[in-house]
């Protein structure tokens, strides 16, 4: 049976899906546009610039901990801690989530056959709110803010840090609503949720987890804001424990939530590269959903597990709870399931060409797998003794480094894959490859080095002179990994700039894709599709039509 039988009904008016109503050119069009492709480009461009800032911070932190500079780069422990925190807040809320939100804002409406994204004005407003919040967030650290300790920072600047972080999270939640609603409500007639493209499905799972978990972080930050007003702390205890009371958002299992789309990128690109259908598609979708469920971490908060002691001195008992250990041990299974399922599909199909898109998708998933393995090592009872000193060891840095590298590598592959639809030009393949290889090196070298130093007992925030002999070598290796992340950021920016500035005329479907975005012109016009879409009865409608013709 043909995959296309009748024209689909449009639901766009119900969800305020409009074409770009901005007129003019230049800066005005850039700021006023509500076309999802323009908004997606803005998310992507800003997140890549922030990636460069965050990766440079990682280098400075690595030099400080490895004592490579021979001098005290930050001047005080408080200043070093500020930079250490900014690397974490920036890595997640300025890079990882915004990069995937940008790709999804531009691509997901095309994948599900919509003329635009749901609530386009909200989508555009979300970007600008996030961008302003991100700039203020960086400025607050320059003004001696941060997330503690309170006795080493400016109280007013710290309030600004908290406020800007809440603004960024609120904008991310708004953008997530737009993407998730697009997948749920703007699918064409005949397309069930099990027939949506894999990347769209992974973004639906990711947005759902973000919408459930990040409001809890906002609530934590509201408590922190109230505690900083000069009165007695309401809930968390000492004002100097701000980071300890919100750090769950950067730790296991929540840290995995920011890389859920990595699995969708691999599942999207792999079958097309092998020119075949995805084997056991429902299993792959189930594995992505299971990974999302296991990455929900709002329950794993130290503040709710330390008992009656408000000073946070009775140990991080959440590490000893069965649920925490179970999540840490099981989360590796869905990642293996997706990687194995895609590799099995590739094995059954034609031998694929090694491209930046395929390599980025696969290596990103492998880095995410390494992050999950690091999490398993962290929760295995054999290592319980490592937590007796009431410190977070650099194993937590290892997980964050691996997750951030997975996002960068997978994002490089995704941008190389969808560049014709997002930017109207091909990404520069050698630069994309360089971004993937250096990003892989940053994760593997830096992440593994931090994991080993953590297992040797290094606290997560300490510098070389505060740890046992022998750890310095791994700190040097981790610093080298941070340098590689800077190179990855520069290469990725160069690859994207080549696509943006390209004047080449592109075919609609340069990769012989399976899903609806490849039925639109490259780049897609306002409204995305030249002709009304037919009824979709398959997960790969373009592949169905190709098989019918041949």
């Amino acid at each position: 049976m043909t995959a296309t039988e009748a024209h689909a009904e449009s639901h766009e008016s119900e969800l305020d899906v409009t074409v770009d109503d901005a007129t003019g050119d230049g800066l005005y069009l850039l700021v006023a546009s509500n076309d999802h492709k323009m908004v997606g480009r803005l998310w992507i461009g800003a997140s890549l610039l922030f990636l460069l800032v965050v990766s440079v911070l990682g280098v400075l932190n690595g030099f400080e901990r490895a004592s490579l500079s021979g001098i005290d780069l930050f001047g005080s422990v408080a200043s070093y801690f500020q930079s250490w925190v900014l690397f974490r807040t920036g890595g997640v809320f300025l890079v990882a989530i915004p990069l995937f939100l940008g790709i999804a804002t531009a691509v997901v409406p095309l994948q599900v056959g919509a003329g635009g994204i749901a609530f386009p004005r909200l989508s555009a407003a979300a970007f600008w709110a996030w961008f302003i919040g991100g700039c203020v967030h960086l400025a607050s650290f320059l003004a001696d803010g941060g997330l503690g300790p309170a006795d080493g920072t400016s109280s007013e600047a710290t309030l600004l840090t908290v406020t800007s972080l809440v603004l960024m999270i609120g904008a991310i939640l708004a953008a997530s609503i737009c993407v998730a609603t697009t997948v749920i409500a703007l699918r064409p007639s005949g397309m069930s949720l099990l027939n949506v493209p894999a990347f769209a499905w992974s973004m639906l799972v990711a947005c759902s987890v973000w919408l459930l978990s990040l409001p809890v972080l906002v609530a934590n930050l509201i408590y922190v804001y109230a505690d900083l007003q000069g009165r007695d702390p309401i809930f968390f205890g000492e004002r100097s424990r701000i980071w300890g009371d919100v750090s769950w958002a950067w730790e296991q299992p929540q840290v995995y939530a920011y890389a859920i789309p990595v699995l969708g990128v691999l599942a999207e690109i792999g079958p097309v590269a092998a020119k075949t259908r995805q084997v056991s598609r429902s299993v792959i979708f189930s594995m992505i959903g299971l990974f999302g469920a296991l990455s929900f971490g709002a329950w794993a908060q130290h503040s709710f597990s330390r008992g009656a002691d408000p000073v946070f001195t009775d140990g991080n008992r959440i590490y000893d709870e069965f649920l925490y250990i179970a999540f840490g041990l099981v989360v590796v299974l869905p990642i293996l399931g997706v990687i194995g399922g895609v590799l099995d599909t590739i094995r059954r199909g034609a031998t694929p060409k090694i491209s930046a898109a395929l390599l980025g998708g696969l290596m990103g998933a492998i880095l995410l797998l390494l992050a999950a393995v690091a999490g398993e090592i962290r929760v295995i009872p054999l290592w319980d003794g490592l937590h007796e000193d009431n410190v977070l060891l650099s194993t937590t840095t290892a997980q964050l480094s691996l997750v951030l590298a997975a996002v960068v590598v997978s994002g490089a592959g995704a941008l190389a894959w969808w560049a014709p639809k997002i930017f109207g030009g091909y990404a520069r393949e050698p630069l994309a490859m360089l971004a993937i290889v250096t990003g892989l090196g940053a994760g593997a070298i830096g992440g593994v080095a931090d994991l080993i130093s953590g297992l040797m007992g290094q606290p997560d925030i300490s510098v070389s002179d505060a740890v046992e002999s022998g750890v310095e070598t791994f700190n040097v290796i981790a610093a080298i990994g941070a340098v590689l992340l800077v190179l990855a950021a520069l290469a990725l920016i160069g690859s994207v700039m080549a696509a943006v500035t390209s004047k080449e005329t592109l075919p609609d479907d340069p990769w012989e894709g399976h899903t609806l975005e490849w039925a639109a012109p490259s780049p897609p016009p306002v409204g995305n599709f030249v002709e009304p879409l037919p009824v979709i009865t398959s997960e790969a409608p373009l592949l169905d039509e190709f098989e019918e013709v041949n």
Side-chain angles (χ1 to χ4, degrees):
M1 177 180 291
T2 180
T4 60
E5 295 178 355
H7 290 310
E9 297 179 3
S10 174
H11 303 286
E12 295 178 358
S13 61
E14 301 174 10
L15 293 168
D16 192 31
V17 178
T18 62
V19 297
D20 188 0
D21 55 13
T23 58
D25 54 17
L27 181 60
Y28 177 80
L29 183 61
L30 183 72
V31 174
S33 176
N34 62 20
D35 178 46
H36 70 97
K37 299 176 289 297
M38 176 63 75
V39 176
R41 295 182 202 119
L42 291 173
W43 278 103
I44 293 167
S47 66
L48 292 182
L49 292 177
F50 283 135
L51 170 62
L52 189 58
V53 174
V54 168
S55 58
V56 169
L57 275 175
V59 171
L60 296 177
N61 293 342
F63 280 8
E64 178 74 10
R65 193 162 63 172
S67 295
L68 289 179
S69 62
I71 60 174
D72 187 354
L73 288 174
F74 295 99
S76 67
V77 174
S79 296
Y80 171 69
F81 185 71
Q82 287 172 312
S83 176
W84 183 88
V85 168
L86 182 56
F87 177 78
R88 280 148 181 76
T89 58
V92 169
F93 295 110
L94 294 178
V95 177
I97 297 179
L99 178 59
F100 278 131
L101 275 178
I103 297 171
T105 298
V107 171
V108 165
L110 289 161
Q111 289 199 311
V112 300
I117 196 166
F119 316 120
R121 294 179 182 83
L122 177 63
S123 178
F127 165 75
W128 290 109
W130 167 80
F131 182 71
I132 293 171
C135 293
V136 172
H137 192 67
L138 293 178
S140 72
F141 279 85
L142 294 176
D144 203 24
L147 294 178
D151 55 0
T153 57
S154 165
S155 179
E156 292 79 7
T158 300
L159 288 173
L160 192 60
T161 301
V162 173
T163 302
S164 62
L165 191 54
V166 170
L167 178 59
M168 287 193 294
I169 295 172
I172 285 169
L173 294 176
S176 299
I177 290 173
C178 296
V179 172
T181 304
T182 302
V183 178
I184 294 172
L186 298 186
R187 290 173 284 117
S189 180
M191 179 185 283
S192 68
L193 277 178
L194 291 180
N195 282 341
V196 300
F199 179 69
W201 171 257
S202 70
M203 283 305 305
L204 176 59
V205 173
C207 290
S208 300
V209 174
W210 299 340
L211 287 167
L212 290 172
S213 58
L214 294 184
V216 180
L217 177 59
V218 171
N220 292 163
L221 291 169
I222 291 173
Y223 272 123
V224 169
Y225 189 94
D227 285 354
L228 289 170
Q229 296 303 308
R231 58 182 65 90
D232 291 336
I234 295 174
F235 178 78
F236 286 122
E238 293 185 337
R239 294 187 180 89
S240 62
R241 298 297 180 180
I242 297 175
W243 175 253
D245 293 318
V246 299
S247 62
W248 63 269
W250 289 266
E251 295 176 20
Q252 180 179 322
Q254 181 68 27
V255 69
Y256 302 133
Y258 314 127
I260 296 171
V262 167
L263 301 180
V265 171
L266 174 60
E268 188 74 50
I269 297 173
V272 179
K275 301 184 184 302
T276 187
R277 295 179 187 274
Q278 175 63 55
V279 177
S280 303
R281 178 183 174 85
S282 60
V283 175
I284 296 293
F285 275 38
S286 298
M287 291 296 100
I288 295 175
L290 176 60
F291 179 72
L294 292 174
S295 68
F296 177 77
W299 58 271
Q301 299 193 44
H302 313 302
S303 301
F304 299 110
S305 65
R306 64 176 182 252
D309 187 350
V311 189
F312 198 26
T313 57
D314 63 341
N316 302 330
R317 291 207 301 260
I318 191 70
Y319 297 138
D320 300 323
E321 295 183 3
F322 171 78
L323 189 62
Y324 184 87
I325 295 173
F327 269 47
L329 294 177
V330 174
V331 73
V332 71
L333 298 180
I335 305 175
L336 284 173
V338 173
I339 294 175
V342 173
L343 290 179
D344 182 52
T345 298
I346 293 175
R347 177 185 64 84
R348 296 168 184 260
T351 302
K353 175 185 176 181
I354 302 301
S355 63
L358 179 60
L359 187 65
L362 182 58
M363 292 299 102
I366 289 176
L367 284 170
L368 183 58
L369 178 64
L370 289 177
V373 170
E376 283 194 315
I377 294 174
R378 190 168 182 264
V379 300
I380 289 176
L382 176 64
W383 303 110
D384 274 355
L386 293 176
H387 303 299
E388 291 178 356
D389 292 333
N390 194 34
V391 293
L392 297 176
L393 303 175
S394 62
T395 48
T396 59
T397 296
Q399 287 181 282
L400 181 62
S401 298
L402 286 165
V403 166
L404 183 57
V407 169
V408 172
V409 169
S410 179
L415 290 173
W417 184 251
W418 282 300
K421 301 303 177 187
I422 300 175
F423 306 111
Y426 291 118
R428 188 65 57 84
E429 186 81 1
L431 287 176
M433 282 287 194
L434 179 61
I436 290 165
V437 171
T438 51
L440 177 64
I445 293 175
V448 171
D450 280 328
L451 176 63
I452 294 174
S453 61
L455 296 178
M456 294 176 67
Q458 173 170 277
D460 205 9
I461 313 174
S462 293
V463 293
S464 292
D465 57 5
V467 298
E468 296 180 1
S469 176
V471 176
E472 293 89 343
T473 300
F474 294 104
N475 287 337
V476 172
I477 295 173
I480 295 173
V483 173
L484 290 176
L485 187 61
V486 174
L487 296 178
L490 291 171
L492 184 51
I493 291 172
S495 177
V496 168
M497 287 301 299
V500 172
T501 58
S502 174
K503 303 300 182 181
E504 184 178 1
T505 301
L506 304 183
D508 294 348
D509 187 6
W511 317 127
E512 298 181 3
H514 298 172
T515 46
L516 290 178
E517 71 266 31
W518 306 110
S522 298
V526 173
N528 294 337
F529 298 95
V530 177
E531 299 178 356
L533 289 175
V535 172
I536 305 299
T537 60
S538 166
E539 78 282 359
L542 300 191
L543 180 59
D544 290 342
E545 292 186 357
F546 176 81
E547 291 175 347
E548 280 191 2
V549 172
N550 294 277

